[in-house]
Amino acid sequence: MTPNEILNDPFLNKGTAFTEAERKQYHLTGLIPAQIRSLREQTDFTYKQVESKDSNLEKRLFLMEIFNTNRILYYKLFSEHVAEFMPIVYDPTIADSIEHYSSLYMNPENAAFLSIDDPDSMKESLKNAANGRDIQLIVVTDAEGILGIGDWGTDGVDIAVGKLMVYTAAAGVDPSKVLPVVLDVGTNNQKLLDSPVYLGNQHKRVRGDQYFDFVDQFVQTTKGLFPDVYLHWEDFGRSNAAKILNKYKDKMVTFNDDIQGTGIIVLAGILGALQISKQKLADQRYLSFGAGTAGAGITKRIFDEMVEQGLSEDEARSHFYMVDKQGLLFDDDDTLTPEQKPFARKRSEFANADKLTSLAAAVSAIHPTILVGTSTQPDTFTEAIVKDMAAHTERPIIFPLSNPTVLAEAKAEDLIKWTDGKGLIATGIPADDVTYKGVTYQIGQGNNALIYPGLGLGTMAAKATVLNDEMISAAAHSLGGIVDSSKPGAAVLPPVTRLAEFSQTVAQAVAKSAIDQGIARVETKNPVEAVENIKWEPEYQTLRLK
């Protein structure tokens, strides 16, 4: 490699940390300032630069410059400031980044951009993006359902880049073995279709057989190029996400964070809440406000847990209710998706079925003990609704999960006050502690980052042949069991500040599940050893090039 190729490769570049011997051997002398800085010195100085930026978007753009020039320095910095940087590198700041992606575009960030208008170039594109690297983890999106902001076409590639950053910072997944991918199938975002700077395919989204054939071509090409890959689907639209997951989940190691990841973190939060309240899952009535990809996926995960705990499917199903824009879902509604149908109720169950067209009416009729919001409808968990719920259950479990902040169904401080401190609360965005009547309540964050990095690392460590429900349940229980139920005001989920520690806990539980089931191909039968063997640390290594 030429000296400039080394300096321009983020996986090789050390900046001022190249030793004198490396500078001489690889002809870098004179191309870098004379002073040699350690990684520690670089990290401390760079953090001060981050602190000097005025806004989170400016901080993110600066951090992306580091990411694109020096991966080791970037991840050393990120891993030491995970809780602080998470909202900058990922949600909610990443939404601003995506909305301005085309106008701010400077670097492809080692992503693969696959166009439905040019399917013949797919294999070449993936090989070019991998550039000879051993790819073991791919996050792929078609960006139809980005966070709470919707369809952003190719600009949504940042969601795949950001997700992979969290895998590495939280769990120690080797960043040289990951690949972000965007499937550019068009966009229905009129703003992008009209924009002279938009960089993606400027036509409406392709639907139907052509779309699914393109997805299948991607899966088959990926399996051919990277046979041991862990394939993570991110922010696909409501009409496609579950279909894609269901088609491939039994054939390869694959995972959908919106469907499965959110379900795991909510289950972990509920298990943590029940550990505090000393109640049983089988005694709960669950109401989902929002019946899209996330809402239905969460409901299915909690349902599966009830069945696993001994209820029959019919018994378990009787505990679940879903409310969407039309109100409570009933089984005579011909617009229901396949994921909604199992949880739709019969009108004969209610004397006033025709009036259950709002969340307030549904809560009044059902008296749920658990209320989970994925509606992206802000402030819909009103004081009246929450007080109605709290009047019929001793410890209401309330999770307003929609994000970013402007889309949250309620604020944690209001929920604590309206339930007189009895509510067990988790939010989708970071929330400050709430002090009420002399007690400080810690608010758990229903952040998928508490789950998916460890889930992925454990699955890859075990070299599992599939990622199944038993492994997912093991992940949820490993996290839900960490809650300190003896402490007044304890959070239902562990804090993001200890994300790296909990990611290892989750990874070991997942690896153990795979090994115990006999679906692991790793040689060791020790899950701790399996995880440690593949965990990556952000430290400079002596440069050795052919």
Side-chain angles (χ1 to χ4, degrees), residues 433-453:
D433 291 351
V434 176
T435 299
Y436 177 78
K437 292 186 176 181
V439 177
T440 298
Y441 294 86
Q442 296 177 315
I443 308 301
Q445 185 186 354
N447 189 329
N448 290 17
L450 288 167
I451 282 288
Y452 70 79

Side-chain angles (χ1 to χ4, degrees), residues 497-520:
T497 52
R498 295 170 63 191
L499 179 58
E501 174 189 343
F502 298 140
S503 292
Q504 299 308 301
T505 300
V506 171
Q508 291 166 14
V510 170
K512 182 178 187 303
S513 176
I515 291 169
D516 289 348
Q517 291 180 67
I519 58 172

Side-chain angles (χ1 to χ4, degrees), residues 456-464 507 511 521-524 527 530-532 534:
L457 182 68
T459 304
M460 290 185 285
K463 297 183 179 179
R521 294 170 294 165
V522 68
E523 291 183 7
T524 179
V531 170
E532 284 299 316
I534 72 163

